[in-house]
Amino acid sequence: MRHLLSTKTISRDEAIVLLDIAEDMADVAGREVKKLPTLRGKTVVNLFFEDSTRTRISFEAAAKRLSADVINFSAKGSSVSKGESLKDTAQTLAAMGADGVVIRHHASGAPLVLAESGWIDAGIINAGDGTHEHPTQALLDAFTIRRRLHGAASRGRDLDGVTVTIVGDVLHSRVARSNLWLLTTLGAQVGFVAPPTLLPADTSAWPATFGFDLDAAIDAGPDVIMMLRIQAERMSASFFPNPREYARGWGLDDERFARLRADSIVMHPGPMNRGLEISSAAADSARSTVLEQVANGVSVRMAALYLLLSGDREDS
Amino acid sequence: MPKERADNVEYLIRGATLPDGTRSDILLAGGRVAELGSGLSRAGASPIDADGLVALPGLVDLHTHLREPGSEQSETVLTGSQAAARGGFTSVFAMANTSPVQDTAGVVEQVLALGEQAGYVTVQPIGAVTVGLAGRQLAELGAMAASRARVRVFSDDGSCVADPLIMRRALEYVKAFDGVIAQHAQDPRLTEKAQMNEGALSAELGLTGWPAVAEESIIARDVLLAEHVGSRLHVCHVSTAGSVDVIRWAKARGINVTAEVTPHHLLLTEELVVGYDARFKVNPPLRRREDVEALRAGLADGTIDIVATDHAPHPTEAKDCEWDAAANGMVGLESALSVVHASVVANGHLDWADVARVLSHTPARIGRLDGQGRRTEVGAPAELTLYDPSASRVFGTGDLSGKGVNSPYLAMTLPGRVQATFHQGYPTVLDGALLPAAEVAAARSEVGHG
Ligand SMILES: [Zn+2]
């Protein structure tokens, strides 16, 4: 794997290899010495054009556990926000000898532009681009689901027949897009539930079902229900009348949580708006994987860095 | 030093194919088409072998961004004129979104004068509809019309005249001098932060959609306004199948509306956005295959009157970046005729007489531009383009003559080639190569003083 830009182009076998390596990485995390020497001498740059402390810390922890040198390049408040271009930044990082660049960018497609530009030769990991994709989030979600369903017997397994309902701001969600492609590639059936204003105008190319009725989706008893975060800026742009009405229609409140199938998994990519898209009872329950997702994020990102940057990576 | 040119330099073009398919020699003398027929001879005239070449009337572009004054790093009147001549154009209408905006007599006269100095093409300034393109208050339309630039086309292009009352007033007001409002049809609220055509692909790519309805609803409103006040409306760069339907309906109803389509909307589709290569970022955006087909059909049946380039040069840094940060627009003058050839001539939608109509006669008529867009007949001004339809080339930066290299066609194989362009009787392009600026300016001043 040369870059990790999107889940759309990842094959089932590639995904399973990555998830299995993440299992190995998770084993390391359980050891007393949590470090591997694998990426000693390699430099990983966290290039964040958008604030996301939790994602940056997760990648930083992953790189350090593999013994890589980590440079955090926060583009917010730096020369970049004063007009330095992506191109100049990339060439600077190339001159500094970056082997891997983890990029978070507000513009959809920026990681692909970086990977194909010739400005820099490093392996590129997309850590979230605009409203396009967030592949490591989808990988950690798949990893989390697989572990919940198959436990210690997870290695080598896919998600064949697993039903996943994703609820909320699908239109603006890179998490939704990356999960759509990855989970369906792994054999899961994905259904989206949202107010009509928060679904794309044309979803005909998405291999999923679409609905507006969360109660019906809950009564259908999905294996997984994933609640997406509602960003503050949606509140004032007439996507829905107000937060109260949104919560009433599309929030996983206590009543809906109580009706959910007893063994359904409750997921959220974080950070959560408690009381809006998810109630505290749901978020903090034993069925919730919110904290596991955080822990698994480090393992999955270790696996991604390993595949991109360790010696035997293909250079084509 | 430019070599001295007598003002009676004459060209005898031998064996050209006229747009109607007939073969003829063409003698250009005294700035006019002096003789037509076979076996012409003229002592002292420079001979040009046009065997196999189509002789089109000099092309007229109703929609060009020349960027001067204000953005001379992108293009100047001179370099834009050179790009135009290279593409077979003898006249361009210069859009008003310069800095300062072309919203006063002074600025339009300045652009006119720069065009005259360059001498490659007739540069006809377009006037802004509203002061500063801000959409609030009418610009001095009458003063621009009465100026030496004789402005007849008014447009806030780049922005839509969104306020219906301002649009109504503008449509009414320009009746006083037979003007036309050229509308950039884009509802601003429906296209906030828009990045590409809204549809299945924008959903996948996570780019904010530019829905077809944002264009179609403005066109629908404007044709009804034009009908109500009995005015003339021109719709810039129509890009959707629905817009073609609305315009077809309006024409059937007798509404005085004309419409243009760009070469890129006739050839390219939104699929090109997949790699986030900002060369394909343009406003209105590239649309679906169905839209391209509807635009071709609309051009063929006359619903769409003309092809106009929307030539929009940008410096490289404006495109060498992530998609959201990139500027909208493509250069189009140099490639226009080849792209029209590829998209609507090669498949039989248009013949060369139609090309003469949509790229010369009708744009000159819509813009009320004298001396351009005339049929090649004895006595007509010597505005002529010789095009080799049998040529084929991989389009590259060497085919560009303006400052901008933001062409979507780089590395694509395009048919045809402009072999020669004549403006006011003198050549601006010969053997496919642009003539030097000093030589053209000298020829121009001979004509001017002749
Ligand atoms: Zn426009």
Side-chain angles (χ1 to χ4, degrees):
Chain A
M1 200 180 278
R2 177 83 177 84
H3 305 291
L4 178 55
L5 303 173
S6 156
T7 57
K8 196 177 182 211
T9 49
I10 297 179
S11 69
R12 176 185 172 282
D13 289 349
E14 283 175 321
I16 288 173
V17 165
L18 194 147
L19 296 180
D20 288 354
I21 294 172
E23 287 287 350
D24 299 339
M25 299 299 178
D27 290 347
V28 173
R31 299 194 319 213
E32 197 171 333
V33 179
K34 294 185 169 60
K35 262 190 145 170
L36 290 172
T38 318
L39 297 185
R40 183 168 295 147
K42 304 272 188 186
T43 300
V44 174
V45 177
N46 285 324
L47 177 59
F48 275 54
F49 289 81
E50 213 180 54
D51 283 333
S52 175
T53 308
R54 45 173 63 218
T55 304
R56 184 181 56 73
I57 288 175
S58 180
F59 272 106
E60 187 170 353
K64 284 182 170 167
R65 283 186 195 172
L66 294 170
S67 304
D69 297 321
V70 179
I71 298 172
N72 286 314
F73 193 117
S74 172
K76 264 204 142 179
S78 73
S79 58
V80 177
S81 60
K82 298 187 186 78
E84 182 177 309
S85 67
L86 179 62
K87 177 178 179 175
D88 289 332
T89 306
Q91 289 175 337
T92 302
L93 299 182
M96 287 162 59
D99 298 290
V101 175
V102 176
I103 178 173
R104 161 69 67 102
H105 203 288
H106 46 80
S108 297
L112 178 66
V113 169
L114 191 61
E116 295 192 338
S117 62
W119 302 327
I120 184 167
D121 193 34
I124 309 292
I125 295 182
N126 178 3
D129 61 329
T131 55
H132 177 223
E133 287 222 32
H134 192 356
T136 58
Q137 178 70 44
L139 285 160
L140 77 88
D141 289 340
F143 182 87
T144 303
I145 295 168
R146 196 174 74 156
R147 269 205 156 182
R148 274 280 175 128
L149 295 178
H150 301 299
S154 286
R155 280 186 177 79
R157 306 285 295 255
D158 61 15
L159 299 177
D160 194 32
V162 176
T163 54
V164 182
T165 298
I166 301 178
V167 184
D169 185 1
V170 178
L171 177 62
H172 301 97
S173 176
R174 49 198 174 206
V175 176
R177 285 170 179 75
S178 284
N179 266 309
L180 168 69
W181 305 122
L182 181 68
L183 297 180
T184 52
T185 294
L186 287 170
Q189 293 158 23
V190 175
F192 291 105
V193 175
T197 46
L198 291 175
L199 288 173
D202 184 345
T203 53
S204 58
W206 290 17
T209 60
F210 298 87
F212 310 134
D213 185 345
L214 180 56
D215 289 308
I218 286 188
D219 292 341
D223 296 312
V224 179
I225 187 162
M226 183 185 296
M227 308 307 295
L228 300 172
R229 177 179 166 79
I230 290 290
Q231 304 281 350
E233 66 248 46
R234 311 292 167 236
M235 316 263 186
S236 56
S238 290
F239 286 102
F240 45 85
N242 57 42
R244 201 173 57 245
E245 179 156 320
Y246 180 86
R248 209 155 49 220
W250 293 278
L252 184 59
D253 57 16
D254 291 351
E255 188 273 326
R256 288 191 177 112
F257 178 60
R259 268 184 20 240
L260 195 60
R261 214 179 79 199
D263 58 345
S264 291
I265 301 168
V266 175
M267 306 185 79
H268 192 296
M272 295 180 284
N273 294 302
R274 289 172 184 261
L276 179 54
E277 70 259 3
I278 190 165
S279 72
S280 282
D284 299 334
S285 76
R287 285 186 266 163
S288 160
T289 60
V290 172
L291 292 177
E292 280 164 62
Q293 286 170 268
V294 174
N296 293 340
V298 177
S299 304
V300 161
R301 287 166 181 136
M302 287 172 78
L305 288 166
Y306 171 83
L307 281 172
L308 260 65
L309 303 180
S310 66
D312 57 349
R313 99 175 202 236
E314 53 186 299
D315 268 322
S316 60
Chain B
M1 283 295 291
K3 70 178 181 204
E4 282 299 312
R5 255 178 204 289
D7 62 358
N8 63 350
V9 167
E10 299 172 349
Y11 290 88
L12 180 55
I13 298 163
R14 287 217 176 92
T17 305
L18 296 176
D20 66 4
T22 60
R23 222 176 123 92
S24 179
D25 298 346
I26 307 168
L27 177 68
L28 305 181
R32 303 260 152 199
V33 175
E35 275 186 71
L36 291 171
S38 57
L40 298 186
S41 70
R42 179 82 153 206
S46 306
I48 290 178
D49 177 12
D51 188 34
L53 306 186
V54 179
L56 293 166
L59 308 185
V60 176
D61 188 20
L62 197 64
H63 194 146
T64 304
H65 295 276
L66 290 179
R67 305 294 190 213
E68 188 179 5
S71 297
E72 290 82 359
Q73 77 282 9
S74 298
E75 193 83 286
T76 64
V77 172
L78 173 63
T79 61
S81 297
Q82 291 176 323
R86 188 80 186 281
F89 289 86
T90 55
S91 178
V92 298
F93 283 73
M95 269 300 171
N97 63 337
T98 50
S99 179
V101 171
Q102 290 166 213
D103 60 2
T104 63
V107 181
V108 292
E109 287 184 347
Q110 181 197 352
V111 171
L112 178 76
L114 288 167
E116 290 169 344
Q117 256 168 47
Y120 281 91
V121 294
T122 296
V123 173
Q124 171 57 55
I126 290 172
V129 177
T130 64
V131 175
L133 309 176
R136 299 225 171 72
Q137 181 190 349
L138 289 187
E140 291 180 6
L141 308 179
M144 290 189 275
S147 75
R148 199 169 77 78
R150 295 189 69 256
V151 175
R152 292 294 178 272
V153 181
F154 298 89
S155 182
D156 276 2
D157 183 65
S159 301
C160 180
V161 181
D163 183 324
L165 183 63
I166 297 282
M167 187 60 183
R168 176 204 165 137
R169 295 280 188 253
L171 284 166
E172 286 180 300
Y173 194 78
V174 299
K175 284 201 285 185
F177 33 83
D178 195 21
V180 62
I181 305 297
Q183 175 71 296
H184 169 118
Q186 176 182 6
D187 187 297
R189 284 284 279 159
L190 286 173
T191 52
E192 283 173 13
K193 298 182 183 158
Q195 296 292 329
M196 72 170 292
N197 178 51
E198 180 165 292
L201 191 60
S202 67
E204 179 191 324
L205 296 179
L207 291 171
T208 306
W210 197 131
V213 65
E215 175 174 304
E216 294 152 7
S217 61
I218 292 291
I219 296 174
R221 181 201 74 176
D222 286 352
V223 295
L224 293 171
L225 282 173
E227 177 180 47
H228 181 60
V229 298
S231 295
R232 203 150 70 87
L233 169 71
H234 177 72
V235 185
C236 296
H237 42 54
V238 169
S239 71
T240 76
S243 295
V244 177
D245 286 341
V246 173
I247 294 163
R248 191 176 282 126
W249 173 85
K251 287 191 164 182
R253 207 172 149 92
I255 297 171
N256 198 351
V257 57
T258 54
E260 77 192 27
V261 61
T262 68
H264 48 271
H265 287 112
L266 287 172
L267 187 67
L268 309 177
T269 66
E270 63 172 356
E271 292 300 322
L272 291 163
V273 180
V274 165
Y276 299 94
D277 180 342
R279 280 188 303 128
F280 302 109
K281 184 173 175 180
V282 65
N283 189 23
L286 300 179
R287 303 285 188 186
R288 305 163 305 160
R289 172 56 54 191
E290 304 92 289
D291 295 302
V292 168
E293 292 301 336
L295 293 167
R296 292 175 177 181
L299 185 65
D301 72 17
T303 302
I304 296 174
D305 300 84
I306 66 168
V307 173
T309 68
D310 197 5
H311 178 79
H314 289 290
T316 48
E317 62 269 23
K319 291 290 191 180
D320 215 1
C321 57
E322 64 274 23
W323 184 271
D324 284 25
N328 278 307
M330 305 168 161
V331 294
L333 285 167
E334 300 97 326
S335 50
L337 192 49
S338 286
V339 174
V340 166
H341 184 178
S343 60
V344 284
V345 178
N347 53 24
H349 277 300
L350 263 62
D351 60 23
W352 293 110
D354 293 323
V355 172
R357 173 171 54 81
V358 302
L359 269 169
S360 182
H361 307 320
T362 308
R365 184 171 52 74
I366 292 169
R368 302 292 191 252
L369 184 60
D370 295 337
Q372 292 285 335
R374 294 272 301 274
R375 265 161 233 292
T376 304
E377 52 201 13
V378 174
E383 307 284 338
L384 203 69
T385 297
L386 298 178
Y387 182 71
D388 179 0
S390 65
S392 173
R393 63 202 156 137
V394 176
F395 198 80
T397 52
D399 294 301
L400 299 172
S401 289
K403 281 193 181 179
V405 294
N406 53 306
S407 166
Y409 310 110
L410 299 178
M412 280 180 61
T413 299
L414 291 179
R417 179 181 166 87
V418 172
Q419 277 299 116
T421 310
F422 292 89
H423 175 50
Q424 302 185 80
Y426 57 85
T428 55
V429 171
L430 276 182
D431 296 326
L434 193 73
L435 296 190
E439 200 172 314
V440 168
R444 149 78 208 178
S445 69
E446 289 290 339
V447 171
H449 300 137

